Amino acid sequence: MAIETGDTVTFEYVGRLDDGTVFDTSRESVATEEGLAEEQPDREYDPLTAEVGAGQVIEGMEDGLVGLDAGETETLTIPPEEAYGEWSEERVQEFETEELTEALGQRPEEGLYLEAQNGQPGEITHVDDDVVKVDFNPRLAGETLEFEVEVVDVE
């Protein structure tokens, strides 16, 4: 029975960037091989279950699952506009170094992440004596993603 909007689908996946780098997976063996398991030692690697059309996964994943059957494997190529959007300079915010140091309780450092009041994570991309730049773009913004998916179950 082919997947339709409204179905609950359980699937395994491996997500790659254009250059072949694995950025996420539900398969523990792939995570271990690619070094992801080391980065997230407490993560459990299990198939993902989502209702198609409910916005629980990115748009391109939902669209790509429609029409597949249980047991089927497919490679989905998902452009930025159907994933995490394009990277935008508007999502990079500047803060006064002194004020941010006070708010954080420590001097900001490039590469560290912080959470905005609305819960959105941002990466500190620049620090000098006057200004700190924080990039609030999603980590995968602007990326074309490739997912190998294997449909395990359809309800």
Side-chain angles (χ1 to χ4, degrees):
M1 178 172 111
I3 296 170
E4 298 177 6
T5 299
D7 289 346
T8 298
V9 181
T10 300
F11 60 97
E12 297 276 9
Y13 66 92
V14 178
R16 289 186 174 84
L17 302 176
D18 277 346
D19 66 3
T21 302
V22 175
F23 65 86
D24 193 16
T25 183
S26 62
R27 298 183 185 275
E28 189 168 7
S29 61
V30 173
T32 300
E33 185 178 303
E34 299 292 330
L36 296 176
E38 217 172 89
E39 294 172 14
Q40 301 173 326
D42 297 333
R43 176 168 170 188
E44 293 183 21
Y45 292 91
D46 295 312
L48 183 62
T49 300
E51 181 184 332
V52 176
Q56 297 171 338
V57 294
I58 57 176
E59 178 186 348
M61 178 69 76
E62 286 188 330
D63 292 348
L65 289 170
V66 171
L68 299 179
D69 290 305
E72 196 168 348
T73 301
E74 184 70 50
T75 299
L76 309 175
T77 301
I78 303 173
E81 58 272 13
E82 293 179 22
Y84 296 95
E86 294 292 347
W87 188 89
S88 168
E89 186 67 45
E90 293 173 7
R91 291 189 176 137
V92 178
Q93 295 183 10
E94 292 187 0
F95 300 90
E96 290 183 19
T97 303
E98 188 175 315
E99 284 183 23
L100 196 55
T101 299
E102 194 173 300
L104 295 174
Q106 67 180 45
R107 183 170 169 85
E109 294 179 38
E110 286 183 25
L112 293 181
Y113 285 82
L114 55 83
E115 192 172 291
Q117 289 177 336
N118 65 3
Q120 188 173 2
E123 180 183 6
I124 298 172
T125 58
H126 171 84
V127 178
D128 65 29
D129 289 338
D130 300 317
V131 175
V132 175
K133 290 185 180 182
V134 182
D135 184 349
F136 288 102
N137 281 284
R139 183 173 68 97
L140 297 172
E143 298 283 356
T144 295
L145 308 178
E146 181 180 282
F147 283 94
E148 287 175 28
V149 296
E150 177 187 352
V151 179
V152 176
D153 189 41
V154 181
E155 294 178 29

